[in-house]
Amino acid sequence: QPGSLLLQRALPGAPSALLIGVPGVPVPFKGGLLYPVPPVLQIGVVVGPGGTVSLNFTWPAGIPADTILRMQFAIADPAAVHGVALSNALEALVP
């Protein structure tokens, strides 16, 4: 199944990472809460000049149906409380 993620209003040109993990107890991280704990995959991306990141993907084969994944961006931002801004977390159910 195809999917897509869109990050908006981030610092243009900032390095960032999309963290993907299974549901767990959120942990404090850089002044916010990190939800994909433990992260099992990290994808590095650079925020575009408009402050956005757009990722299109296809669910990889072999992930069992009904698996829940959590996703969240961590963006390097010197204006953030501890130099890192966290996006809202998303939860996805594998089809």
Side-chain angles (χ1 to χ4, degrees), residues 59-69 94-95:
W59 287 107
I63 299 177
D66 298 329
T67 298
I68 297 172
L69 297 174
V94 175

PDB file of all heavy atoms in Angstrom, residues 59-69 94-95:
ATOM      1  N   TRP A  59       4.527   0.613   1.836  1.00  0.00           N
ATOM      2  CA  TRP A  59       4.764  -0.228   3.009  1.00  0.00           C
ATOM      3  C   TRP A  59       5.637  -1.394   2.590  1.00  0.00           C
ATOM      4  O   TRP A  59       5.357  -2.076   1.614  1.00  0.00           O
ATOM      5  CB  TRP A  59       3.444  -0.768   3.562  1.00  0.00           C
ATOM      6  CG  TRP A  59       2.637   0.261   4.267  1.00  0.00           C
ATOM      7  CD1 TRP A  59       1.496   0.841   3.820  1.00  0.00           C
ATOM      8  CD2 TRP A  59       2.899   0.858   5.544  1.00  0.00           C
ATOM      9  NE1 TRP A  59       1.042   1.760   4.738  1.00  0.00           N
ATOM     10  CE2 TRP A  59       1.887   1.780   5.802  1.00  0.00           C
ATOM     11  CE3 TRP A  59       3.913   0.682   6.487  1.00  0.00           C
ATOM     12  CZ2 TRP A  59       1.831   2.541   6.962  1.00  0.00           C
ATOM     13  CZ3 TRP A  59       3.865   1.442   7.655  1.00  0.00           C
ATOM     14  CH2 TRP A  59       2.840   2.352   7.882  1.00  0.00           C
ATOM     15  N   PRO A  60       6.721  -1.658   3.326  1.00  0.00           N
ATOM     16  CA  PRO A  60       7.585  -2.784   2.969  1.00  0.00           C
ATOM     17  C   PRO A  60       6.875  -4.121   3.173  1.00  0.00           C
ATOM     18  O   PRO A  60       6.063  -4.261   4.078  1.00  0.00           O
ATOM     19  CB  PRO A  60       8.772  -2.657   3.931  1.00  0.00           C
ATOM     20  CG  PRO A  60       8.536  -1.464   4.770  1.00  0.00           C
ATOM     21  CD  PRO A  60       7.197  -0.897   4.443  1.00  0.00           C
ATOM     22  N   ALA A  61       7.208  -5.055   2.324  1.00  0.00           N
ATOM     23  CA  ALA A  61       6.655  -6.406   2.460  1.00  0.00           C
ATOM     24  C   ALA A  61       7.193  -7.052   3.729  1.00  0.00           C
ATOM     25  O   ALA A  61       8.293  -6.730   4.184  1.00  0.00           O
ATOM     26  CB  ALA A  61       7.025  -7.244   1.243  1.00  0.00           C
ATOM     27  N   GLY A  62       6.418  -7.913   4.308  1.00  0.00           N
ATOM     28  CA  GLY A  62       6.886  -8.678   5.453  1.00  0.00           C
ATOM     29  C   GLY A  62       6.486  -8.126   6.806  1.00  0.00           C
ATOM     30  O   GLY A  62       6.671  -8.789   7.818  1.00  0.00           O
ATOM     31  N   ILE A  63       5.961  -6.899   6.850  1.00  0.00           N
ATOM     32  CA  ILE A  63       5.472  -6.382   8.131  1.00  0.00           C
ATOM     33  C   ILE A  63       4.084  -6.975   8.342  1.00  0.00           C
ATOM     34  O   ILE A  63       3.208  -6.830   7.495  1.00  0.00           O
ATOM     35  CB  ILE A  63       5.407  -4.840   8.147  1.00  0.00           C
ATOM     36  CG1 ILE A  63       6.790  -4.235   7.942  1.00  0.00           C
ATOM     37  CG2 ILE A  63       4.816  -4.345   9.463  1.00  0.00           C
ATOM     38  CD1 ILE A  63       6.801  -2.725   7.876  1.00  0.00           C
ATOM     39  N   PRO A  64       3.876  -7.653   9.454  1.00  0.00           N
ATOM     40  CA  PRO A  64       2.574  -8.294   9.660  1.00  0.00           C
ATOM     41  C   PRO A  64       1.424  -7.286   9.669  1.00  0.00           C
ATOM     42  O   PRO A  64       1.571  -6.162  10.167  1.00  0.00           O
ATOM     43  CB  PRO A  64       2.717  -8.949  11.044  1.00  0.00           C
ATOM     44  CG  PRO A  64       4.185  -9.074  11.276  1.00  0.00           C
ATOM     45  CD  PRO A  64       4.808  -7.926  10.542  1.00  0.00           C
ATOM     46  N   ALA A  65       0.295  -7.692   9.099  1.00  0.00           N
ATOM     47  CA  ALA A  65      -0.907  -6.856   9.117  1.00  0.00           C
ATOM     48  C   ALA A  65      -1.278  -6.543  10.559  1.00  0.00           C
ATOM     49  O   ALA A  65      -1.013  -7.339  11.463  1.00  0.00           O
ATOM     50  CB  ALA A  65      -2.046  -7.571   8.403  1.00  0.00           C
ATOM     51  N   ASP A  66      -1.853  -5.401  10.761  1.00  0.00           N
ATOM     52  CA  ASP A  66      -2.308  -4.918  12.069  1.00  0.00           C
ATOM     53  C   ASP A  66      -1.164  -4.510  13.006  1.00  0.00           C
ATOM     54  O   ASP A  66      -1.399  -4.251  14.175  1.00  0.00           O
ATOM     55  CB  ASP A  66      -3.227  -5.924  12.771  1.00  0.00           C
ATOM     56  CG  ASP A  66      -4.496  -6.168  11.984  1.00  0.00           C
ATOM     57  OD1 ASP A  66      -4.958  -5.227  11.294  1.00  0.00           O
ATOM     58  OD2 ASP A  66      -5.038  -7.280  12.034  1.00  0.00           O
ATOM     59  N   THR A  67       0.068  -4.440  12.493  1.00  0.00           N
ATOM     60  CA  THR A  67       1.176  -3.904  13.289  1.00  0.00           C
ATOM     61  C   THR A  67       0.995  -2.396  13.411  1.00  0.00           C
ATOM     62  O   THR A  67       0.660  -1.726  12.443  1.00  0.00           O
ATOM     63  CB  THR A  67       2.532  -4.209  12.619  1.00  0.00           C
ATOM     64  OG1 THR A  67       2.700  -5.615  12.542  1.00  0.00           O
ATOM     65  CG2 THR A  67       3.685  -3.584  13.376  1.00  0.00           C
ATOM     66  N   ILE A  68       1.216  -1.878  14.600  1.00  0.00           N
ATOM     67  CA  ILE A  68       1.114  -0.436  14.828  1.00  0.00           C
ATOM     68  C   ILE A  68       2.518   0.152  14.837  1.00  0.00           C
ATOM     69  O   ILE A  68       3.412  -0.361  15.503  1.00  0.00           O
ATOM     70  CB  ILE A  68       0.390  -0.131  16.150  1.00  0.00           C
ATOM     71  CG1 ILE A  68      -1.045  -0.646  16.084  1.00  0.00           C
ATOM     72  CG2 ILE A  68       0.427   1.358  16.461  1.00  0.00           C
ATOM     73  CD1 ILE A  68      -1.798  -0.561  17.393  1.00  0.00           C
ATOM     74  N   LEU A  69       2.699   1.224  14.069  1.00  0.00           N
ATOM     75  CA  LEU A  69       3.967   1.950  14.031  1.00  0.00           C
ATOM     76  C   LEU A  69       3.736   3.398  14.452  1.00  0.00           C
ATOM     77  O   LEU A  69       2.702   3.984  14.131  1.00  0.00           O
ATOM     78  CB  LEU A  69       4.564   1.935  12.625  1.00  0.00           C
ATOM     79  CG  LEU A  69       4.943   0.566  12.067  1.00  0.00           C
ATOM     80  CD1 LEU A  69       5.374   0.702  10.620  1.00  0.00           C
ATOM     81  CD2 LEU A  69       6.045  -0.059  12.898  1.00  0.00           C
ATOM     82  N   VAL A  94      -0.547  -0.922  10.026  1.00  0.00           N
ATOM     83  CA  VAL A  94      -0.120  -1.533   8.775  1.00  0.00           C
ATOM     84  C   VAL A  94      -1.308  -2.281   8.176  1.00  0.00           C
ATOM     85  O   VAL A  94      -1.967  -3.059   8.863  1.00  0.00           O
ATOM     86  CB  VAL A  94       1.062  -2.499   9.020  1.00  0.00           C
ATOM     87  CG1 VAL A  94       1.442  -3.228   7.748  1.00  0.00           C
ATOM     88  CG2 VAL A  94       2.258  -1.733   9.580  1.00  0.00           C
ATOM     89  N   PRO A  95      -1.604  -2.008   6.888  1.00  0.00           N
ATOM     90  CA  PRO A  95      -2.752  -2.672   6.256  1.00  0.00           C
ATOM     91  C   PRO A  95      -2.534  -4.163   6.078  1.00  0.00           C
ATOM     92  O   PRO A  95      -1.462  -4.657   6.059  1.00  0.00           O
ATOM     93  CB  PRO A  95      -2.873  -1.969   4.902  1.00  0.00           C
ATOM     94  CG  PRO A  95      -1.554  -1.329   4.648  1.00  0.00           C
ATOM     95  CD  PRO A  95      -0.897  -1.140   5.985  1.00  0.00           C
TER      96      PRO A  95
END
